[in-house]
């Protein structure tokens, strides 16, 4: 039996998808929104976390590291993400978090089941339809920290709020915003956000 934790902030989608997955005889399925997912990982101890990369909390930044914590003495679950090709910034976060599986949210639910089984065996699973998103993620000029700063800025967070959320000084946040503006070829912070949203980075 493969123990699966389905993480999705859409209650209706999560409930329907979890119930559909429970129809598979080799899957033991649990579900949680992002807010309570880290606690569920500790209590359920799943083999696979299947997580939607869209997160309603934390300014839309999925805390993937909290699903697969290292150095806790127990084997962390393997990570599979539900993604779309038009959000390469989120794909890049999943790559950096060590995800093994990448399932296109626009695809068939059968692909999710196949992906879960492959990832549970320690094998990589990638939907071909996400290929363009991976190319865009590889071409992205921003670092992970710059993406975090930019994502918070795009949600309307002030320098002080960004500094508090990321545990940085105000000056460091301003330095990151200057680097982001330069790397994106933008005129200012607002222009950098516009360009990055157009590219699907945030």
């Amino acid at each position: 039996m493969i123990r699966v934790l389905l993480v999705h902030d859409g209650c209706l989608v999560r409930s329907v998808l979890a119930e559909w997955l429970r129809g598979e005889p080799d899957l033991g399925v649990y579900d949680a929104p992002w807010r309570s997912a880290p606690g569920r990982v500790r209590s359920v101890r799943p083999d696979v976390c299947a997580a939607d990369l869209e997160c309603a909390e934390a300014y839309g930044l999925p805390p993937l590291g909290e699903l697969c914590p290292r150095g806790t003495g127990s084997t962390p679950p393997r990570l599979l993400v539900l993604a779309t090709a038009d959000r390469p910034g989120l794909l890049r976060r999943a790559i950096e978090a060590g995800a093994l599986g990448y399932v296109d949210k626009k695809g068939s639910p059968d692909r999710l089941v196949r992906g879960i089984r492959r990832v549970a065996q320690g094998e990589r699973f990638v939907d071909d339809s996400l290929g363009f998103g991976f190319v865009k993620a590889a071409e992205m000029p921003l670092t992970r920290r710059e993406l975090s700063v930019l994502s918070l800025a795009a949600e309307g967070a002030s320098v002080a709020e960004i500094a508090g959320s990321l545990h940085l000084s105000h000056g460091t946040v301003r330095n990151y915003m200057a680097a982001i503006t330069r790397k994106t070829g933008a005129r200012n912070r607002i222009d950098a956000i516009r360009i990055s949203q157009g590219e699907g980075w945030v």
Side-chain angles (χ1 to χ4, degrees):
M1 180 72 74
I2 301 170
R3 295 167 71 83
V4 179
L5 177 63
L6 177 66
V7 181
H8 199 298
D9 274 344
C11 183
L12 178 61
V13 173
R14 185 179 70 246
S15 300
V16 170
L17 194 51
E19 198 56 40
W20 187 83
L21 288 172
R22 288 184 184 113
E24 299 295 321
D26 60 332
L27 303 183
V29 182
Y30 305 84
D31 63 276
W34 271 106
R35 181 174 62 305
S36 59
R40 291 286 276 164
V41 167
R42 290 189 294 274
S43 63
V44 170
R45 301 182 71 149
D47 302 302
V48 176
C49 276
D52 179 27
L53 284 181
E54 303 286 339
C55 175
E57 303 287 329
Y59 292 101
L61 303 175
L64 294 170
E66 295 178 23
L67 295 184
C68 305
R70 308 289 175 194
T72 58
S74 60
T75 304
R78 293 183 169 117
L79 179 61
L80 176 147
V81 295
L82 305 174
T84 57
D86 58 359
R87 294 295 303 274
L90 292 177
L91 278 175
R92 178 138 154 203
R93 286 181 179 279
I95 293 165
E96 291 170 348
L100 276 180
Y102 300 84
V103 175
D104 191 340
K105 290 200 293 191
K106 298 175 182 176
S108 161
D110 292 326
R111 299 289 293 167
L112 176 57
V113 173
R114 195 175 312 166
I116 288 170
R117 290 178 178 140
R118 290 270 295 277
V119 167
Q121 294 170 3
E123 299 174 9
R124 186 167 295 282
F125 181 89
V126 181
D127 267 337
D128 293 341
S129 54
L130 295 175
F132 180 70
F134 281 104
V135 170
K136 296 286 283 180
E139 293 174 345
M140 196 179 319
L142 305 179
T143 66
R144 183 169 75 176
R145 182 58 90 183
E146 288 165 349
L147 279 172
S148 295
V149 169
L150 184 61
S151 295
L152 292 170
E155 293 289 331
S158 67
V159 168
E161 289 168 332
I162 295 170
S165 293
L166 300 178
H167 309 290
L168 301 170
S169 72
H170 293 196
T172 300
V173 171
R174 288 189 189 94
N175 289 341
Y176 277 126
M177 284 307 306
I180 290 164
T181 302
R182 185 182 73 253
K183 288 182 177 181
T184 57
R187 296 185 304 276
N188 52 40
R189 169 180 168 156
I190 302 301
D191 195 33
I193 291 169
R194 181 189 59 75
I195 290 167
S196 300
Q197 287 176 331
E199 293 288 341
W201 298 343
V202 294

